[in-house]
Amino acid sequence: MSRHALELCTLLVNDIYGELTSRVLSTLFRYGRLTISQLSQRSHLPLRQLKHGLVVLIQQHLALHYTSPDDGVTYYEADWKSNYSLVRVGKVMRLVEERFGEAAGAVVANLLLQGHVRVGDLADAYGLSAANVRGNTKGGGAGHGVNGQAKDVGGRVEKPALTLGQLHSILHRMLHSGYIMQVTDEQFWPIADYQNDIERAVKRDHFSGGVKGPKQKQELDGLVRERMRKSREGIQSKLAANGTRGIKRPASDTTARKGRKRVKLDYGFETGIMSGDDAESPLVDENLVIRVNHEKFTVAFRNQELVNLSEKRIGSATALVYAELLQRLEAKTDRCRDELAPVGVPDEEEDGPSISTLELSATLNKEIDLFNSIGKVPTAKIDARAQKFPANRRKRRRLESNADAAGSAEDEDEDESGGASGVGSDSDDHWGDEDFGVSAAGDSIAKDQKSRMAEIKKHLQLLAEDSYRFVRLVGSRGLGEWTVDFGALTTILKQTELESIITERFDGIATRLVRILNEKGKLDEKQVSNISLLKQKETRAALTSLYESGFIQLQEVPRDANRQPSRTIYLWYFDVESCRQLVLQDCYKAMARCLQRANAEKGKMRPLLAKAERTDVVGREEHYLSKIERAALQSWKEKEERLLGQVTRLDRLVGIFRDY
C-alpha cells in the first residue's frame, strides 16, 4: 500500500468516526500487526481509550483481529480495503434506493452505520416487535428513530411507517440477491491467518509426514485454496437454501397469501414498501448477524460501467437491453475477481454464467422502443462467427478449430441465405407457442412476443458483433444463449480510460504512440516514427513527455560490452501494469487532497456551521441567519459539493483500475 492510500483511509475514518479512531488506525497502518499493549505504546493512548477506538474499528470491519492458538495472544491489523469502501457509501445507498426503494436504502444506511447487526436488534431499533407481524402500521412508527429514517418536514421530525413484515421482506430480498451477507467469525480474521489455519488442517489430514519437494508444495496450495473456496461456498449455500438461512414462515401461513402483491420497480425489483398484507412474507431469523456485502456492490458498479461503454459505442436502446442482461447475470456473479480460483485456469478460459433470449425477454421493460432504435441489415451481412467466438485469441482459435471440424454438420443446418442456425436470421429459430406459455387461441399475443424477441435478438447481435465483444453466443437454448467475457471487457475498460487520461494530459499524438507500443511491443524511435507516420522530431518530443510522466518505459540494449551510448539501442515500450499503478497512486493522492481541502474550508466556516446546525436554526435559516451568513453558507455547500463530487469521479477510476 502506498502512503497516499493510507493517508486517504485515515482521513475518511477521521471524518466519519472521529480523531480517536483515526489515531488508532494510523498507528496500525504505520506499524502493521500489533498486540494491544504494543498498540497502546505506539499510539501513546491509555488502554481504556484504545479499547474504545478498537471496538469501533472492529464493529465496522475496518480492523481485523486474530488470537494465536499457540500463545493465546490477540493481534490486531488494519484492513485498508474495507477502509477505502467508506468512499462508496453514497453510491451504495443510491443503488439500493434505485433497485429496492427508499425504505431499503434507509435499512442499508443503518447497516453501514452499524457495521454489522443482529436482525432482532435492527428490528428493535425501528421500534418493531413480533406484535407487528400482521402489518400494524401504527406500531411501525413507534419507538426510537434510526439514522436514515427520520425526515425533516418544516422543522418537525416525522418518521415513516415501516412494519415488521416489510423490514423482513427487505432483508429477505437483499440477502437473496447477495447485497447483504451473513457475518462469520472468519471475516474478522486477517486473510493470512485464515489461510494458515486451513493450511495446518490440510497438513494434519493429508501431509502427516510433512511437505517434501515442490510437487507436494503445489499440491498443498491447491488443497488449501479448494478448502477455502468450499468453506466460502458452504456459507453461501446456507443462505441460498429457501432464499436465505433461517427463513421462517409466519404462523398465519394460509392460502390468504396467494393474493399478496408487491409494488414493482424497473429491472424486476420491488420497493421496500409492499401493498396488501405484508405479514405473509417470510421472516428472517432474528439471531442472524448481517452486514453489507461490498464485493456484490462492486459487481453492480462494474456492470454500470459496461452499460455506459455500450451506450457510447452503440446506442441507448441497446444499452438498456445490455443493462437488463447484466442485471440477470449479476445474480449468478458473487464477485468481480475470485482470488480463490484454481491456479492455472484463467478466467477467460471458462465460460461464465449465461442467459437466453427467452429469459431476457421475460423481464425486459416493455416501454423500451426496440424496433425504431436499430436499422435494417441484410441477413447475408451478419457475421455469425463473430457472435460465437470470444475476443481472446487462444480460446477463439480453439473454438474455431472445433467449429471447422464440425463444419459438415453445420452446413446441413444453414438456411438458403447462408446464416448459421440460431444466429443468422429470425427464420432460423424454432418459434413455438409453448415457448411463450400461450395456446393457439392467443395467436396475436404470440406474434407480438415473437416480434419483440426478434428485436431483442438483433440488439444482442449488435453487442456480439461489436469489436469490443460485449456479449458472446454460447448456445441455441431459448432462441440463443449469451454470456459475457468480463475479463476481456475490463481490460478494454482500463485501456480506454488510460487512453482518455493520456489524451487529456498530452494530446492525440501521444495516445497514438501509446496504442502502437501497446500493440507492437518494444520499438526503437525510428520504428515508432515509421508506424505512426509522424516526423521523428515530433515522435521524439511525444515519447520524451510520456517517459517523464511514467506512462512508457525505456530499455537499453548495448551492442557490445563497452555499453557506449553510440553503440546502444534504445527501445520504447508500454507497461500496462506500471501505468495502472501510476494512475492509482495519482487518484489516491488527489482524493486525499480533496478531503484535506474540504476540511480546511470547513475549519474556516466552523463558527457559522455550528450556528446553522443548531436545532432552533434548522429549517428557519432566513429568520436567524443574516443575508451575508446565508450567502457564505451557500458558498461553502457548493465548494463541498464540488470537492466530494471530484472524489466520486476519482473513485470511478479506482474501481476500473483496481477492483473490476
Side-chain angles (χ1 to χ4, degrees):
M1 275 301 298
S2 67
R3 63 182 183 90
H4 297 301
L6 302 182
E7 182 183 9
L8 171 62
C9 294
T10 305
L11 288 170
L12 289 169
V13 173
N14 183 62
D15 289 344
I16 300 175
Y17 302 108
E19 183 179 356
L20 174 63
T21 310
S22 65
R23 186 172 175 180
V24 176
L25 181 69
S26 63
T27 305
L28 289 174
F29 278 145
R30 186 179 303 112
Y31 296 102
R33 187 184 181 96
L34 297 173
T35 63
I36 192 168
S37 59
Q38 294 172 337
L39 187 57
S40 177
Q41 180 182 2
R42 299 296 176 87
S43 62
H44 305 287
L45 289 173
L47 199 60
R48 182 177 179 181
Q49 294 183 1
L50 178 61
K51 289 182 178 180
H52 285 301
L54 279 175
V55 165
V56 175
L57 291 174
I58 294 174
Q59 176 74 19
Q60 300 295 331
H61 297 262
L62 304 178
L64 307 173
H65 63 88
Y66 179 76
T67 302
S68 175
D70 300 329
D71 51 12
V73 178
T74 301
Y75 296 90
Y76 298 91
E77 183 178 326
D79 185 4
W80 71 272
K81 288 188 177 180
S82 297
N83 284 271
Y84 179 84
S85 63
L86 295 173
V87 176
R88 298 174 179 169
V89 168
K91 295 171 65 175
V92 167
M93 292 175 57
R94 183 172 66 250
L95 187 142
V96 172
E97 290 178 356
E98 290 175 354
R99 297 189 177 184
F100 298 93
E102 293 185 0
V107 172
V108 170
N110 287 293
L111 283 177
L112 290 169
L113 182 65
Q114 300 296 329
H116 63 269
V117 65
R118 195 174 66 91
V119 173
D121 295 336
L122 183 63
D124 293 339
Y126 276 95
L128 303 173
S129 61
N132 305 117
V133 170
R134 294 302 304 172
N136 186 1
T137 305
K138 294 181 180 180
H144 301 287
V146 185
N147 287 337
Q149 283 294 297
K151 294 184 179 180
D152 182 72
V153 181
R156 178 172 52 88
V157 176
E158 179 179 318
K159 302 187 184 99
L162 184 68
T163 65
L164 185 63
Q166 293 166 356
L167 176 62
H168 279 265
S169 175
I170 291 171
L171 296 178
H172 171 257
R173 286 182 285 116
M174 297 199 68
L175 279 166
H176 184 72
S177 61
Y179 292 111
I180 292 177
M181 62 188 298
Q182 179 187 0
V183 176
T184 60
D185 294 337
E186 290 78 8
Q187 294 175 9
F188 295 94
W189 296 359
I191 185 63
D193 292 312
Y194 181 45
Q195 185 172 352
N196 292 336
D197 188 71
I198 291 184
E199 185 174 335
R200 284 194 292 267
V202 171
K203 287 181 178 179
R204 185 174 58 251
D205 297 340
H206 299 277
F207 301 93
S208 57
V211 180
K212 302 176 182 179
K215 186 176 181 179
Q216 286 193 353
K217 174 63 176 174
Q218 185 177 1
E219 183 181 355
L220 172 65
D221 294 340
L223 290 174
V224 169
R225 295 168 70 90
E226 182 181 359
R227 183 167 294 190
M228 292 176 67
R229 188 170 60 255
K230 287 183 177 180
S231 176
R232 184 185 64 191
E233 293 174 354
I235 297 174
Q236 294 173 352
S237 62
K238 290 180 181 179
L239 288 172
N242 297 324
T244 56
R245 175 183 178 272
I247 288 298
K248 299 182 292 183
R249 286 287 179 184
S252 59
D253 189 8
T254 62
T255 57
R257 72 170 179 266
K258 293 182 179 179
R260 175 169 50 91
K261 295 182 179 180
R262 298 177 181 177
V263 181
K264 292 197 174 184
L265 293 172
D266 291 340
Y267 308 113
F269 287 98
E270 300 162 352
T271 60
I273 302 297
M274 299 179 297
S275 62
D277 188 6
D278 57 2
E280 303 298 340
S281 60
L283 299 181
V284 183
D285 186 2
E286 291 186 352
N287 294 320
L288 184 67
V289 183
I290 57 176
R291 59 173 292 200
V292 173
N293 185 5
H294 289 282
E295 288 186 336
K296 190 69 173 183
F297 280 101
T298 303
V299 175
F301 297 148
R302 178 191 64 184
N303 292 345
Q304 289 178 351
E305 291 295 331
L306 295 178
V307 170
N308 295 335
L309 183 62
S310 66
E311 184 176 3
K312 294 178 182 178
R313 294 278 298 181
I314 302 176
S316 58
T318 306
L320 291 175
V321 176
Y322 193 44
E324 179 64 25
L325 182 142
L326 293 175
Q327 189 77 56
R328 297 293 301 273
L329 294 181
E330 185 180 309
K332 307 174 185 178
T333 308
D334 296 325
R335 55 191 53 83
C336 292
R337 296 183 179 181
D338 191 0
E339 298 177 353
L340 301 180
V343 179
V345 181
D347 294 338
E348 60 269 14
E349 292 296 320
E350 295 292 335
D351 287 335
S354 59
I355 184 174
S356 66
T357 309
L358 183 63
E359 295 170 342
L360 183 62
S361 64
T363 57
L364 185 64
N365 188 1
K366 291 181 172 55
E367 296 180 358
I368 302 175
D369 187 4
L370 300 175
F371 183 78
N372 296 322
S373 58
I374 188 172
K376 300 295 182 181
V377 180
T379 305
K381 292 186 177 181
I382 296 178
D383 188 0
R385 297 174 68 88
Q387 301 171 25
K388 289 184 176 181
F389 301 127
N392 180 268
R393 295 181 178 178
R394 179 171 51 180
K395 189 174 183 180
R396 185 171 69 243
R397 285 197 299 266
R398 174 168 54 84
L399 293 177
E400 286 177 348
S401 62
N402 295 338
D404 293 337
S408 58
E410 291 187 0
D411 292 339
E412 297 177 359
D413 296 333
E414 290 182 353
D415 57 9
E416 296 178 357
S417 60
S421 176
V423 177
S425 63
D426 300 335
S427 60
D428 295 330
D429 297 319
H430 302 285
W431 304 90
D433 292 336
E434 63 276 5
D435 294 332
F436 306 99
V438 297
S439 61
D443 289 340
S444 60
I445 299 177
K447 288 181 180 179
D448 292 340
Q449 290 177 327
K450 292 175 183 179
S451 176
R452 180 171 178 78
M453 289 186 61
E455 296 299 325
I456 293 175
K457 187 171 183 180
K458 290 178 182 178
H459 286 274
L460 293 174
Q461 288 173 339
L462 277 179
L463 291 167
E465 293 173 2
D466 189 85
S467 60
Y468 283 2
R469 305 288 176 85
F470 289 102
V471 297
R472 177 165 54 87
L473 185 66
V474 293
S476 58
R477 179 183 64 88
L479 309 177
E481 192 172 3
W482 309 85
T483 188
V484 178
D485 297 324
F486 288 107
L489 284 174
T490 51
T491 302
I492 292 173
L493 262 179
K494 294 175 185 178
Q495 186 65 24
T496 303
E497 289 298 327
L498 277 177
E499 292 176 359
S500 177
I501 292 172
I502 293 172
T503 302
E504 293 177 0
R505 187 175 297 187
F506 302 99
D507 53 16
I509 294 178
T511 306
R512 187 196 305 181
L513 298 182
V514 167
R515 289 175 179 172
I516 292 173
L517 293 175
N518 186 39
E519 181 181 356
K520 302 295 183 181
K522 297 180 180 180
L523 300 172
D524 61 13
E525 185 178 302
K526 186 176 181 181
Q527 291 174 321
V528 174
S529 179
N530 293 334
I531 296 175
S532 62
L533 303 179
L534 295 172
K535 295 181 180 180
Q536 199 163 353
K537 183 178 180 180
E538 296 177 352
T539 304
R540 184 182 301 113
L543 290 174
T544 303
S545 300
L546 289 169
Y547 176 73
E548 292 175 350
S549 301
F551 286 98
I552 61 174
Q553 307 297 326
L554 183 64
Q555 181 178 355
E556 299 180 1
V557 181
R559 296 182 179 180
D560 51 30
N562 295 329
R563 305 184 69 89
Q564 296 181 359
S566 59
R567 299 286 298 171
T568 301
I569 301 174
Y570 297 92
L571 299 178
W572 301 94
Y573 66 97
F574 176 71
D575 188 357
V576 178
E577 180 62 25
S578 63
C579 198
R580 182 183 69 87
Q581 290 293 338
L582 175 66
V583 174
L584 275 178
Q585 303 312 317
D586 289 344
C587 288
Y588 292 145
K589 183 177 180 180
M591 294 170 74
R593 296 298 176 264
C594 286
L595 293 179
Q596 288 176 341
R597 179 70 180 184
N599 292 333
E601 294 293 335
K602 187 176 182 180
K604 298 177 183 178
M605 302 288 295
R606 196 173 301 278
L608 178 58
L609 292 175
K611 181 180 179 181
E613 292 173 357
R614 282 166 36 188
T615 56
D616 58 331
V617 178
V618 175
R620 307 182 64 185
E621 287 83 359
E622 294 184 359
H623 181 71
Y624 287 99
L625 299 180
S626 64
K627 186 176 181 179
I628 298 177
E629 289 176 334
R630 293 197 302 270
L633 187 62
Q634 181 64 26
S635 176
W636 147 246
K637 290 181 179 179
E638 292 176 357
K639 290 179 182 178
E640 184 183 39
E641 184 178 354
R642 287 196 297 267
L643 290 171
L644 296 182
Q646 182 64 19
V647 170
T648 303
R649 286 189 288 271
L650 291 170
D651 172 62
R652 172 182 169 273
L653 293 177
V654 173
I656 291 174
F657 289 109
R658 191 196 69 186
D659 299 331
Y660 303 161

